[in-house]
Structure formats: C-alpha cells, structure tokens
Amino acid sequence: MNDLTPTREERTAKLKGLGTSRKRVEDVRFTQGKGNYVDDVKLPGMLHGDFVRSPYAHARVKSINIDAAMALPGVIAVLTAKDLEPLSLHWMPTLAGDKQMVLADGKVLFQGQEVAFVVAEDRYIAADAVELVEVDYEELPVITDPFKALEPDATVLREDLEPGADGAHGPRKHHNHIFLWEEGDAEATNQAIDSAEVVAEEMVYYHRTHPCPLETCGSVASMDKVNGKLTLWGTFQAPHVVRTVASLLSGIEEHNIRVISPDIGGGFGNKVGVYPGYVCSIVASIVTGRPVKWIEDRMDNLMATAFARDYWMKGKISATKDGKITGLHCHVTADHGAFDACADPTKFPAGFFHICTGSYDIPVAYVGVDGVYTNKAPGGVAYRCSFRVTEAAYFIERMIEVLAIELNMDAAELRRINFIRKDQFPYQSALGWEYDSGDYHTAWDKALAAVGYDDLRKEQAAQVEAFKRGETRKLLGIGLTHFTEIVGAGPVKNCDILGMGMFDSCEIRIHPTGSAIARLGTISQGQGHATTFAQILASEIGIPADSITIEEGDTDTAPYGLGTYGSRSTPVAGAATAMAGRKIRAKAQMIAAYLLEVHDDDVEWDVDRFQVKGAPERFKTMAEIAYASYNQAIPGVEPGLEAVSYYDPPNMTYPFGAYICVMEIDADTGEHDIRQFYALDDCGTRINPMVIEGQVHGGLTEALAIAMGQEIAYDELGNVKTGTLMDFFLPTAWETPNYTTDHTETPSPHHPIGAKGVGESPNVGGVPAFSNAVNDAFRAFGLRHTHMPHDHWRIWKTANDLGLHG
Amino acid sequence: MIPAAFEYHRPKNVQDAIGILVEHGDEARVLAGGHSLIPMMKLRMAAIEHLVDLQDVDGLSGISIDGGRITIGAMTTQHELITHDGLATAAPILREAALQIADPQVRYVGTIGGNVANGDPGNDMPGLMQCLDASFTLVGPDGTREVAARDFYEAAYMTERSDEEILTAISFNATAGGYSYEKQKRKIGDYATAAAAVLLQKDGDTCTGASIAMTNLSDTPVFSEAAGAALTGTSVGKADIEAAVAAALSDIDPTEDNRGPVEFKRHVAAVVIARAITRAWSRA
C-alpha cells in the first residue's frame, strides 16, 4: 500500500451505496423528453381504439347501431358486448373477487362506462366514429348515496347477481350490499365504551378522489398470428400479474404472452387494476391481426378509471378523564361504485384499514366495513398509500382531535400519553397487527420542539382574542398528526393478488469486467428504482451503483414479481435485492478464498473486496472476483456470477412520522395560507436521502390537493362534476407551500437492510395534518369536525355555520 | 379530446379574413390565442367547420400610446401587456389584472382580443375593459365601427359582434389615480370566484371619480355605475365602501357552480370589492 491506495472511506464513497444522495439516473432522459411511454410505442400497421362511453349513470342499453360508424372510411371494427360474449370476455374478474363489464352488457351502471370499442386507422377517425355509434338508452333511477343504496326499496343495481347469494367475502345483506368485513372484539369494545368516563363520537367522511397520474392509462396489444405470441405494452403497476390474468382470460398460454411496462408517468394506484381498454385492445389485435393502441384522455381517466377513498367512517373513541384511551369502535360505509374493483390483497376487502388504531396503545377495538354498490365508477384503489391506510390514518387522527375537544385537553399531549412506548415493540395491536418497531415519543418531541409548539399555541390564543375584538379576520390552525403506516405487502401466508403470493424478486448478473445488471419484479412509475436499488446492491456487493443497471417491467426478462404499489418495492423487492446480493457475495467469497489460496472462512468482506483476515493487504476486489468467475476453472464452483432471490417478507413494515401544519384561514373568503409545514419521517434505514425528500415533497403536495380541494364529485343524476383539471384540483408550484423535512431512523428489525418504505407516508400523514389544521382553526369557536375537501366555499360555510360572519 | 375535422385558413390581411367569414357565416370562427376555442373544439362542444387563424394578419398586434389614448391590437398577448413599460405607467391596472390570468405559458399565447371577444363571463379582461370604459374596434364587410365595452356583452358568449366581424383593436384613455384588480380563484388557471376592477380619482381627501366593474358574477361582466356613484364625492370611509359594495351586489347575479353556492359568491364578491376599493384608494 502507498499514498495512492484509496482509503476505506474513499472506496465506500465510490460505491454511492446506502445513505448517499445519489442523483436520479432516470432524470437524464426524463428532463430531456427522452422517456419512452406507452404512447411512444408506434408499430407498423398499428390501429387506434376509442370508447363509446355512457352519458348516463344508470340506464338500460336497448340497442346499439354501429352501421354509420362502420361506414366511415378508415373504421376497421366496432366491438360491443355481443362480440366479446363468444370469447367470454364481455365481463372480466376484478381483483376484489367481483366481476366487471368490459363492454356494456344490457345496461350501464356509471357515467363514462365503456359501451363499445371503435377501432380505426388513426386516432382522429376513431374519435369521429365514436360519435356515429347510435346507442338507445332507457334511463333508470340513479343512486349515488351509499346509505340510500341500502334502503329496503332501493333500485337493484347489479341485476347480474343472485339476490341473497353470497359474495366473494361472505353473506350479502341487501341487493346493493357487497360485503361486511369485521375485525376485533365488538363485545369487549362496546363494553369499554359503554363504561368509559369520556366518549367522543364522530362521522368522518373521506371523500372520493382520484390518483390522476400525469400519464393516463393505455395499452398497445400486438398479436403475432405467425408465432402465436401476444406482446402487450401498457401502464401496468404489476406487469407479471397482468400477464397471468391475460393468460387466464384469453386462454393464450402464459409463455406466449409478453407484457412490457415501459416508462410510466405516475401510477399512485390508478394503474394496478385491469381496465376494459386493455382487454379490448388485446381482442381487437387478435381479431384484426394488427397492433392496436388505446390511450385514455384526461376526462376518460378521471371519469372511468379507478377512484380512491369514498369511506364514511363512524367512530366512537373512549377514554378515562385523564385521557388514557380505553376503546375504539369504527363502522365504515364504503362506496365501491358499480363493481367491486378495489385493488387489495384478496383476503382483505377493506385493505389494511384495521391499522386504524394508529400510533396508540388502544386495549380493545372493533372495525366493521360494509361495502356498497352505487352508480359511480369502480375502483377504491390505494392512492399513494398502502391499502386503505390513508383512510385509517385520517380516521384515527380526526378521532384523536375530537377526543381532545371532548376532554378539553391539548391534542399533542393526548397523543403523547397514548403512544405505544418504544419498549412495547414488537407490539400486538388490538386489531391483529404486529408493529415491528417504532419510537414515537422521540419523533413527537423532536417535531414539537422544531415548530416551537407551545409558542404557536400562545400565538393562536392571542389571535382568537384579536378576532373576537374585530382586529383580524384571520384564524390560525395548528394541524397535528402522528401516523403509523403498514406497508410492504406482504407475507405470502396472508397476502395474495388473484392467488399470487405477494413476494417479490431480484435477479442479478455480474459481468466479467465487474459491472452488473439486476432485474426486479417491480416497476418504477417515478419512484427512482434504477437509482435506489443500485445503491442497495452497491453496498451489498461492492460494485459501484454507477456500474449497475436496474431493469424492470419486461415479463420476458424480469423475474416474477407482484409489482409496485403500497410502498412495497423497498420492503419486498428491496429485500430480495439485498438477499440476491448476499448470494452473490457468498459465491464470491469462495472464489476469493480460492484465488488467495486460503480457506473460505479465512477471508472477510470489506466494502468492495474480500481480504485475508489479519492481512488486509492480501485481497481480491469484486471486479477481480467477477473476472475470475468467468475465466478460471475453480474446483467445485460453477462458472459465472449470478443469483436470484424471491423474498417472502416475514411481516409488514411500519413506517411512521410526525407532521405539523400551521395554517392561516380567512374566515370571510375561505382562503388558506400554509405558513409552515414540518414533516418528520421515520422510514427505517435511509437508502437515498435526496430521493426520500423528493418523495415526501411529492406526497405532501398530493395530500394538500386531497385535503384542500381535490374530489370526484357527482350530481344526483350521477354526472361527474369534476371531470377536467379546471375543477379537479391538481396543485401547481403556485399552490404548493414550502416543506421542512426531518427524520429519525428506527430500522425495521426483520428487513435485511432495515428499510421500511417511504413513498406513501407523506400522503398518509399529510392529509390529516392539513385537515386537522383547518378543523383546529375553528376549535375555539365550537367546531368539532368538518368534512374535507376544505375548499374555499366549504371553509366559508364552516365559518358561516359557526356565526363568524356576524 | 380530439376535435372534429375542420378546414384551416391562414389569411394575410383583415379583408381576406373577413372574406372567409362572409363566405362561411356561422360555420367559421377566427382563432387568436386559442385558449378558449381549442378546448371547446376538442371537447366537441364547438363544431367549427372553418377555423380562421389570425396570426399572419398584419397590424393586429402591438401597443401604442398616443397622448392620453392607448390602443392595443387584438392579437397582443397577455405577456406583452405585462412586459410593456409604457403601459405599466399609463394604465397599471392592466398589468395587475393580466398577471392574475392563468400562468406564464398561457399568457405567452393568450391574447387580449380573444379574451374580450369570446364573451366568456369568466374572462378577466371584459370587466376590466368596462371599468376602463374601453372601446372595441370591429371590422366587417360594411366597414369599421366602434362599440363601447359597456355595450358589447349581451349574455354568455353572446356579444354585439356579428359573425362576419373581427375585433381588431381595443382603445381607452390612460388612467389616473388609484387602481386595483382583485381576484379570488381556487388555483392557478381558474376563473374567478369573484373579481373586481376599481379605478378611483382623488382630490384632497375626496373621491372625484370612481369606476367599478366585476368578473364572473353574472352571465356577462358587470359595470356598476351605482357602486361608483356611491363613492364619488365621499372620503371613501367604511360606510361609503359598504354603500358601494351594497350597490355593486344589487347589480350582480351569480350562479352556483363548483366554486360554491350563490350565497358564498355574494359574500366573497362583497369582500373582494371592498378590498379592491380599499387598495385603489390607498394608491390614489
């Protein structure tokens, strides 16, 4: 060794491994407009599809006349349910055990429902032909309110279902009822609440909204009739599952189907399910023998593809007069729309909603969720959250605030005295989860100190007095949230999608010259997998992240995986990556020992090399080992350096965080001004702090949108009132406040590198933080709870109802 | 979001453009910045057989200030209004209002002529033009005529302009005194929940002239003569402002939409008008 020999620190830095704020490698192409999205796929002879959609929310389809459309030059085909029926493709199974019409079969059940699929030589002809398809509808009574849907004489929506027959999740108690799903001990919970010193009750509505990814959904299907192979490009968050479903539906053997998710412009849950457009593009390609492209426009996307939330959560929470929580009861009326197309693990029709005891040590709890059909679009996806976790976090964080009012207690203190203590982990929740790790008090105290909480409360009190004296029309709201997520689905023993266990995978090939490619069963939609997974691997195998290619999304090359949603990529595929890396390292150890002429146990790993124990100057770098694996005959060791790992996580991970929003509200106009937003996240081991910060900023901005205005609203005829970006709130830089990010680090004890996942935390924690700030601003005037979204007129109405307009 | 087929025309001068309008009647529409018309066509809410693009027509752009009279060509963009130094001095309210229209990308392309001629009650410039008592120049097959902004708007998308006429220019007098364009909207790119344009003149402590107009609070812009009269001759105290607001509210007729119910809009209108008056007075 000499002065030029890199130090251990220099070698570590060169890897750009765990903990490095490595710049995102994807951004070079994205910022130059060189991404490759589904709509960039252009094939010779490609046709274009477009849908005739229902203008009505509920109507019988009496007839469909396609003659005028077919007569338009350039129109190749117009598919209706009658054409799909012989193939048994006029309906398709949903991920939630229900079935959904691909094309209207006798009736339509929501506005925007797919009625016919026009296939034409170009996109313009297809759009013209859509106008020429004549559909004769007979309007039927519309139900948009899930409570009205359950009234005894409510119109039957799903005539295809046997009245009284069980659904996929047990008995149905009404013709518009889908399931009742329960968890916890109802009797003990009722007893705790009935005998409690203090009880707070509230109906908390989490309104219907939509993930609204910048890139809408779409697909290109290309059936090669010569070799029998179907290639399908699409906006798929789970390409392997799509391949399996496509095979089961079409009867094409799975090896003859290749599914490719190219670059995806945001998913947020919207691209997990299977849509009629995918099925129709496949059928149209099979029928015509030509590639067929289908791309939604923005209105199609907002109106017809999967929505999120729409949960009416009736809560009761009890406590001692000192504020120690004794029980939590929750009944949810869940509006699923026309078909139950929720994207949840099969056995969880309400997802992981039973994480709703949150960060608190609650001895008994009960949850019951009634799923209901209405004349709205199907969906119920996890919009930037794990399955129904945002609903759960919003519910408990609102109930805590309401309880604080009932107790006349500070809401920060109420949280503190009820947090699960650090020494209680692993913690068994009353609703059946085992929280893997946490240190809530430390995070909470750090957050309160960072914003100067006590001074904020003094300022707020002074402002209330000034308001009462007529000196200001502004009110100050302090929105507190301590959330606990449950992500990383999940253990195969209880988590599956259509029977596929929710493991994930990574396959690594080390090239002779010491660089590598790793392929995963997940698919990035903007999360930066190509950047961060290379960092996990760099730290595991000592090859610089810059020398590792990460590839996802092609089912012909990537190992089987369940895809990317529910913050599962890092907890599951990230773990698979680390485990596959360790297999590489194990083999490398044998090769190194052989090359160094010592026993396997006499070498030890050091950053990027194996060295002889006690003689670090004798070493073989990973690059040297890789080369040797390809050009030397090593006794008892196969040539090459590759590994694959399928990882079945032993448990979920439980990221948490403390968020505080300080908001000023104009009581006269309903406008708000976010003065400060502090976000502390604990996602365990931090792989790339810069990517984490970007994720938090993005998620908080979506949370801002949801809390402060974003919704899918219907009128009583079932017309979508918010079908364009004029009315559907998608924030720009202008509406977005500054965020202060912070962290604590409590590694997951069961994850190979201790990482927990972070992409969805800011949405889960952000929504209650914004909403609590609005509610808190009016607490001094007697408000207990007001529903989201907190747009100008609703805030104004709250002020008006409280008599603040004189 | 794919428009029906249309014929695209790109004339070089106003007479040729008018010729196309005369030939095709109400099947033809002129295209300025296109920020209202193109979305309507893509939504197939407007079926335009003949689209007459004005961007190559000479003499429709630019800002001239001649003595106290300002003339703005119809194809002048919002961005040009914002960045014109002379205009910032001669009529600063224009810059203040234009900065509240959509976002920079839209303002690079959106024009003042399109904004005022379309007759959309959500557009900001029509109310402002009524406040300024501007005059619109209309050129048609029978020649040129001037129509006052205060007489131009009949109902939503219905104006005094006939199908064969093109709005070529806007003119108004340079302003003196205090000004304000106050707008509440849900987000960037949104139409106003309520907006008000106010110009006030001051002599000593007395208001000697007041002009008040409002945006998106009826199916046309609303010029409230009574509101202005309520301030003229006063010292614009609290009671005077309340009187002006009351007068303005009696001239509006808002409708419920996703921005909120009528009661809310009237409340916000009152706040916005009062703020605009207060700010204009502070600048007078």
Side-chain angles (χ1 to χ4, degrees):
Chain A
M1 293 217 219
N2 56 42
D3 290 347
L4 296 175
T5 305
T7 64
R8 196 167 189 279
E9 288 67 32
E10 285 165 345
R11 289 189 281 123
T12 303
K14 192 172 170 240
L15 295 180
K16 299 187 187 170
L18 293 182
T20 308
S21 284
R22 182 186 183 217
K23 284 191 177 172
R24 286 169 33 118
V25 297
E26 298 91 336
D27 292 349
V28 176
R29 69 176 187 278
F30 291 149
T31 54
Q32 294 183 24
K34 301 273 174 63
N36 180 41
Y37 299 91
V38 175
D39 203 20
D40 293 321
V41 175
K42 294 181 174 68
L43 303 175
M46 189 171 74
L47 301 171
H48 297 260
D50 196 2
F51 278 112
V52 177
R53 293 179 181 277
S54 171
Y56 300 110
H58 195 198
R60 213 164 289 293
V61 178
K62 296 175 74 178
S63 67
I64 302 174
N65 185 341
I66 65 168
D67 295 348
M70 286 302 292
L72 186 70
V75 174
I76 305 296
V78 180
L79 301 178
T80 65
K82 280 203 178 77
D83 302 305
L84 300 184
E85 193 170 358
L87 305 166
S88 294
L89 287 174
H90 55 317
W91 289 75
M92 62 179 183
T94 70
L95 298 180
D98 195 2
K99 56 178 183 166
Q100 175 177 353
M101 287 182 222
V102 173
L103 291 171
D105 183 21
K107 71 188 288 195
V108 288
L109 285 156
F110 65 94
Q111 189 183 51
Q113 186 178 334
E114 299 82 359
V115 174
F117 189 67
V118 173
V119 184
E121 291 286 352
D122 71 40
R123 185 69 188 80
Y124 293 88
I125 296 170
D128 287 344
V130 163
E131 304 259 295
L132 296 175
V133 175
E134 296 160 14
V135 186
D136 187 11
Y137 296 99
E138 177 192 328
E139 287 184 70
L140 295 169
V142 171
I143 307 176
T144 57
D145 178 336
F147 297 100
K148 287 186 180 158
L150 291 180
E151 286 173 2
D153 57 349
T155 303
V156 177
L157 301 182
R158 290 289 299 276
E159 293 166 52
D160 58 295
L161 301 176
E162 282 291 322
D166 284 4
H169 305 287
R172 295 166 58 230
K173 61 187 179 192
H174 181 280
H175 51 263
N176 294 328
H177 183 245
I178 309 172
F179 61 80
L180 168 63
W181 178 83
E182 295 174 288
E183 193 67 65
D185 188 334
E187 200 179 322
T189 304
N190 287 331
Q191 264 175 18
I193 290 170
D194 290 345
S195 62
E197 291 171 345
V198 179
V199 178
E201 290 186 49
E202 195 56 63
M203 172 66 94
V204 178
Y205 179 46
Y206 198 141
H207 60 289
R208 178 175 281 232
T209 183
H210 193 283
C212 194
L214 286 187
E215 179 205 26
T216 59
C217 298
S219 59
V220 177
S222 179
M223 183 73 206
D224 185 329
K225 290 197 171 179
V226 176
N227 63 17
K229 283 192 184 287
L230 170 69
T231 307
L232 181 64
W233 290 262
T235 46
F236 308 134
Q237 288 183 234
H240 284 94
V241 178
V242 169
R243 185 185 72 190
T244 302
V245 172
S247 174
L248 292 172
L249 287 181
S250 68
I252 301 170
E253 281 196 87
E254 201 163 351
H255 74 105
N256 275 333
I257 300 176
R258 180 183 183 187
V259 175
I260 300 171
S261 294
D263 283 330
I264 296 182
F268 312 114
N270 186 237
K271 294 168 180 170
V272 173
V274 172
Y275 292 121
Y278 304 158
V279 178
C280 287
S281 66
I282 294 171
V283 173
S285 182
I286 293 172
V287 170
T288 63
R290 292 167 67 177
V292 176
K293 176 186 278 187
W294 164 73
I295 302 286
E296 285 178 331
D297 68 25
R298 178 62 58 196
M299 292 176 75
D300 294 338
N301 181 255
L302 287 174
M303 194 161 55
T305 57
F307 76 93
R309 327 297 192 224
D310 216 345
Y311 258 33
W312 291 91
M313 304 175 285
K314 182 116 182 57
K316 276 190 269 187
I317 188 166
S318 60
T320 66
K321 60 183 188 309
D322 301 328
K324 188 77 187 101
I325 298 171
T326 58
L328 178 71
H329 188 285
C330 180
H331 177 264
V332 180
T333 302
D335 186 340
H336 284 225
F339 308 98
D340 186 7
C342 289
D344 293 316
T346 307
K347 297 184 192 73
F348 298 90
F352 303 155
F353 183 77
H354 45 317
I355 192 71
C356 66
T357 51
S359 308
Y360 311 104
D361 183 12
I362 300 179
V364 287
Y366 164 82
V367 171
V369 180
D370 277 307
V372 182
Y373 291 123
T374 60
N375 290 120
K376 300 183 192 171
V381 294
Y383 170 9
R384 203 171 184 144
C385 67
S386 194
F387 315 100
R388 300 291 188 186
V389 172
T390 299
E391 288 92 326
Y394 184 63
F395 170 72
I396 185 65
E397 289 303 301
R398 284 301 307 138
M399 290 310 294
I400 290 284
E401 294 282 316
V402 173
L403 179 62
I405 292 169
E406 197 69 43
L407 290 160
N408 195 25
M409 183 183 265
D410 178 83
E413 182 59 20
L414 177 60
R415 284 180 174 84
R416 190 199 311 273
I417 62 180
N418 285 288
F419 281 144
I420 300 162
R421 295 186 317 275
K422 190 180 175 184
D423 59 51
Q424 287 177 282
F425 293 96
Y427 171 81
Q428 297 292 333
S429 83
L431 293 174
W433 296 114
E434 182 183 302
Y435 290 33
D436 66 345
S437 59
D439 183 357
Y440 302 161
H441 286 94
T442 299
W444 195 238
D445 290 342
K446 189 173 181 183
L448 295 180
V451 300
Y453 180 71
D454 293 340
D455 288 340
L456 278 175
R457 285 291 179 205
K458 284 178 198 149
E459 184 188 346
Q460 182 186 41
Q463 192 152 339
V464 166
E465 291 311 311
F467 185 93
K468 287 176 176 169
R469 290 193 301 269
E471 293 164 13
T472 180
R473 297 298 294 162
K474 302 270 177 78
L475 294 168
L476 193 64
I478 303 165
L480 304 174
T481 288
H482 190 289
F483 65 93
T484 295
E485 271 197 288
I486 172 168
V487 306
V492 170
K493 65 177 185 285
N494 54 14
C495 290
D496 71 272
I497 299 264
L498 291 178
M500 298 294 125
M502 295 182 72
F503 58 84
D504 227 289
S505 59
C506 175
E507 180 205 88
I508 304 168
R509 297 180 187 179
I510 312 293
H511 304 315
T513 50
S515 64
I517 182 166
R519 295 188 170 101
L520 292 90
T522 45
I523 175 69
S524 181
Q525 305 125 39
Q527 291 91 340
H529 290 178
T531 306
T532 51
F533 286 135
Q535 291 182 252
I536 294 174
L537 212 45
S539 287
E540 290 291 339
I541 63 175
I543 290 174
D546 289 344
S547 300
I548 302 171
T549 295
I550 299 291
E551 205 178 87
E552 301 173 301
D554 183 340
T555 59
D556 264 12
T557 56
Y560 205 102
L562 269 283
T564 294
Y565 40 87
S567 281
R568 64 184 301 280
S569 296
T570 295
V572 191
T577 303
M579 298 308 275
R582 287 171 195 182
K583 289 183 184 176
I584 295 278
R585 217 163 77 186
K587 182 172 178 181
Q589 182 168 3
M590 291 190 280
I591 298 169
Y594 172 80
L595 296 174
L596 291 163
E597 299 179 358
V598 295
H599 189 273
D600 289 358
D601 294 340
D602 291 333
V603 293
E604 62 185 1
W605 177 251
D606 184 57
V607 184
D608 57 353
R609 62 190 55 178
F610 278 103
Q611 62 195 21
V612 176
K613 286 178 183 168
E617 70 284 1
R618 293 190 60 209
F619 62 85
K620 290 291 173 188
T621 66
M622 196 50 138
E624 292 171 309
I625 295 165
Y627 196 64
S629 77
Y630 284 92
N631 75 352
Q632 290 206 29
I634 301 170
V637 179
E638 287 181 5
L641 197 50
E642 301 186 2
V644 60
S645 173
Y646 284 77
Y647 188 80
D648 176 11
N651 190 6
M652 314 280 185
T653 60
Y654 295 76
F656 62 93
Y659 291 178
I660 299 173
C661 173
V662 183
M663 187 187 290
E664 215 165 44
I665 283 173
D666 187 318
D668 286 325
T669 63
E671 292 169 300
H672 68 267
D673 177 32
I674 294 156
R675 209 170 79 178
Q676 185 179 7
F677 197 106
Y678 170 87
L680 179 152
D681 275 285
D682 192 320
C683 58
T685 301
R686 291 156 56 82
I687 298 166
N688 182 323
M690 188 168 65
V691 167
I692 291 171
E693 191 175 23
Q695 288 273 26
V696 172
H697 281 215
L700 286 175
T701 304
E702 282 182 328
L704 167 84
I706 294 166
M708 306 310 291
Q710 185 180 86
E711 64 175 323
I712 296 290
Y714 290 83
D715 68 14
E716 44 196 47
L717 292 174
N719 297 305
V720 180
K721 290 164 67 183
T722 52
T724 75
L725 296 185
M726 172 65 88
D727 288 311
F728 184 87
F729 177 36
L730 205 61
T732 67
W734 185 265
E735 292 86 17
T736 305
N738 285 317
Y739 303 119
T740 304
T741 56
D742 203 348
H743 67 277
T744 55
E745 195 161 334
T746 312
S748 167
H750 62 78
H751 187 279
I753 62 167
K756 295 183 174 178
V758 74
E760 300 170 333
S761 298
N763 199 325
V764 172
V767 172
F770 289 113
S771 181
N772 281 348
V774 173
N775 278 280
D776 182 69
F778 294 105
R779 178 174 169 174
F781 300 91
L783 180 70
R784 284 169 61 94
H785 173 79
T786 188
H787 292 313
M788 295 189 293
H790 305 299
D791 54 7
H792 296 166
W793 87 260
R794 286 181 174 99
I795 289 181
W796 173 86
K797 184 170 187 311
T798 298
N800 202 49
D801 290 347
L802 294 169
L804 302 186
H805 295 147
Chain B
M1 299 293 271
I2 303 277
F6 55 87
E7 213 47 55
Y8 179 77
H9 303 267
R10 194 154 169 161
K12 300 281 187 200
N13 59 61
V14 173
Q15 286 316 313
D16 287 354
I18 291 168
I20 298 166
L21 295 181
V22 169
E23 186 184 345
H24 298 290
D26 63 2
E27 291 185 348
R29 283 284 295 275
V30 296
L31 175 73
H35 277 293
S36 298
L37 186 56
I38 299 290
M40 296 291 272
M41 290 172 67
K42 290 174 103 173
L43 291 167
R44 298 198 176 211
M45 292 167 83
I48 309 297
E49 304 274 332
H50 295 271
L51 195 62
V52 186
D53 190 336
L54 296 180
Q55 66 177 303
D56 281 354
V57 174
D58 284 338
L60 290 186
S61 288
I63 299 163
S64 69
I65 303 172
D66 186 4
R69 192 73 180 168
I70 299 163
T71 304
I72 303 174
M75 292 293 282
T76 306
T77 65
Q78 312 290 358
H79 174 75
E80 288 162 340
L81 299 180
I82 290 165
T83 51
H84 193 277
D85 289 342
L87 195 60
T89 312
I93 193 170
L94 224 64
R95 181 171 191 275
E96 181 159 295
L99 277 169
Q100 296 180 64
I101 295 173
D103 55 59
Q105 285 182 313
V106 170
R107 298 196 294 255
Y108 285 132
V109 179
T111 65
I112 189 168
N115 195 295
V116 301
N118 196 35
D120 185 335
N123 284 350
D124 290 287
M125 286 295 170
L128 177 58
M129 290 303 133
Q130 293 194 338
C131 179
L132 287 162
D133 197 13
S135 175
F136 299 155
T137 304
L138 301 176
V139 182
D142 302 329
T144 300
R145 62 184 179 126
E146 294 285 319
V147 177
R150 292 174 187 175
D151 299 329
F152 187 70
Y153 299 96
E154 295 164 348
Y157 304 104
M158 305 282 285
T159 67
E160 174 65 21
R161 187 186 64 82
S162 72
D163 288 340
E164 295 83 21
E165 287 179 309
I166 297 172
L167 190 154
T168 58
I170 292 150
S171 56
F172 53 88
N173 289 334
T175 62
Y179 66 91
S180 177
Y181 190 77
E182 186 84 24
K183 177 180 181 181
Q184 179 168 342
K185 56 187 173 184
R186 295 172 298 180
K187 59 178 184 177
I188 286 293
D190 193 18
Y191 292 132
T193 302
V198 174
L199 290 168
L200 297 177
Q201 287 81 50
K202 185 180 186 181
D203 183 7
D205 288 333
T206 306
C207 175
T208 56
S211 177
I212 296 176
M214 291 159 283
T215 296
N216 216 19
L217 290 165
S218 285
D219 67 344
T220 62
V222 176
F223 171 69
S224 179
E225 197 170 356
L231 294 178
T232 307
T234 74
S235 56
V236 192
K238 191 163 174 284
D240 306 317
I241 294 173
E242 280 171 8
V245 167
L249 291 184
S250 66
D251 285 338
I252 63 173
D253 184 20
T255 51
E256 176 166 348
D257 59 20
N258 285 335
R259 292 172 192 84
V262 171
E263 191 190 7
F264 164 69
K265 288 191 173 183
R266 294 186 69 85
H267 191 116
V268 169
V271 173
V272 164
I273 296 161
R275 284 181 186 170
I277 292 169
T278 304
R279 192 145 53 106
W281 187 242
S282 75
R283 288 165 164 172

